[in-house]
Amino acid sequence: MSEQPDDLAGIETPPPRPKFSALLRPHRIAIMAVALALLALMAVKMRWDWLPQYADMLLAGLWVTILLLVSSTALGFLMAVPLGLVQVTGPRILSWPARIFCTVIRGTPLLLQLWLLYYGLGSLFPGIPEIRHSFLWPYLREAWPYGLLALTLSYAGYEGEVMRGAFAGVPHGELEAARAYGMGRWKVLTRIWLPRALHRALPTLAGETVVQLKSTPLVATITVIDLYAVVGDIRQSTYLTYEPLLFLAFLYLCLTGILVTVFRHFEKKIPSRGT
C-alpha cells in the first residue's frame, strides 16, 4: 500500500455531508406528512380572520419580547464573565459574594425575584423624595425596568456559574505557556482564556438563552405588554382559545430556531484554541 504524502499527513478528511436520501426515510416522511396535515387542518378549520386586525399589536409585543431578550442576555453575559472569573481566580473577598449571588439567583424562582423587585423596590422608591424628583423617576415608575433587571440578574446568575466551569476547564498548561511566551495577564485573558472558555460554554449558553426567551412572558405579570400579554388580550377580545395560543407557539418556535442558528454560527466562528 502506498503511504500518505508527508504534506497531507495530519490533515483530517471532512465528514461526508448527509445525502438528500436521508430526508426520505420512512419515519421522517411520516413526521412531515403529519405536520402538513395539521397545518392544513388549522388553516381550514380554525379562524384566522382576527390576524390582520391585531397585526400591529402583535408586532409591538414581538418587539418588546425581542428587546427584553437581547438586552437582558447582553447585560447578563457582561455580568456573568466577571462573576465566573472571580470564582476561579479570587480573591475571596470577591469570589464569595459572586458565589452567593449565583446560588441565590439559581435557588429562587424567577417569578419571585421579579415580584420582589417590582412590588418591593417599586413601592419603596415613591417614598424617597430624592428619587421622585430625579431624572430616573419617569423610568422607575414604569414596569419594564424591573422586568429587564430581573431577567438580567437571572441570566447573570445562571451564566456566571456556566462561565465559572468554562474558565476552570481551560487547560492550565495553555495559560502557563502564554505567560512564558511573554503575554501579560490582560492579553492572556482576552487572547487565550476567554476565547477557550467561551467556546466551551457556547452550547450551554445557547440552551440558557432559549430558556431566557421562554421566561420573558413572566413580565406580563407586572403589566409589561409583551407578546404573551398581547395574545392574552386577543383571547379576551375574540373569545378564541386555540388560535391565538397556537400562533403564539409558532412565533416562539420561530424565535427559538433563529437563536439556535445564530449560536451554531458563532460556534463555527469562534476558534476552539486561542490565537
Side-chain angles (χ1 to χ4, degrees), residues 107-124:
T108 54
L110 175 57
L111 183 61
L112 176 61
Q113 301 165 17
L114 181 64
W115 284 4
L116 284 175
L117 289 173
Y118 180 66
Y119 295 108
L121 294 178
S123 61
L124 179 65

Side-chain angles (χ1 to χ4, degrees), residues 50 54 57-58 229-240 244:
W50 52 272
Y54 296 99
M57 292 176 58
L58 288 168
V230 170
V231 170
D233 292 339
I234 293 174
R235 290 179 57 202
Q236 294 179 0
S237 301
T238 60
Y239 299 103
L240 296 173

Side-chain angles (χ1 to χ4, degrees), residues 233-266:
D233 292 339
I234 293 174
R235 290 179 57 202
Q236 294 179 0
S237 301
T238 60
Y239 299 103
L240 296 173
T241 300
Y242 296 108
E243 290 86 343
L245 291 179
L246 287 173
F247 187 72
L248 177 64
F250 172 75
L251 290 178
Y252 276 114
L253 282 173
C254 292
L255 292 175
T256 300
I258 294 172
L259 288 176
V260 171
T261 303
V262 169
F263 272 95
R264 285 180 180 175
H265 173 76
F266 281 123

Side-chain angles (χ1 to χ4, degrees), residues 2 92 246:
S2 60
R92 287 188 176 182
L246 287 173

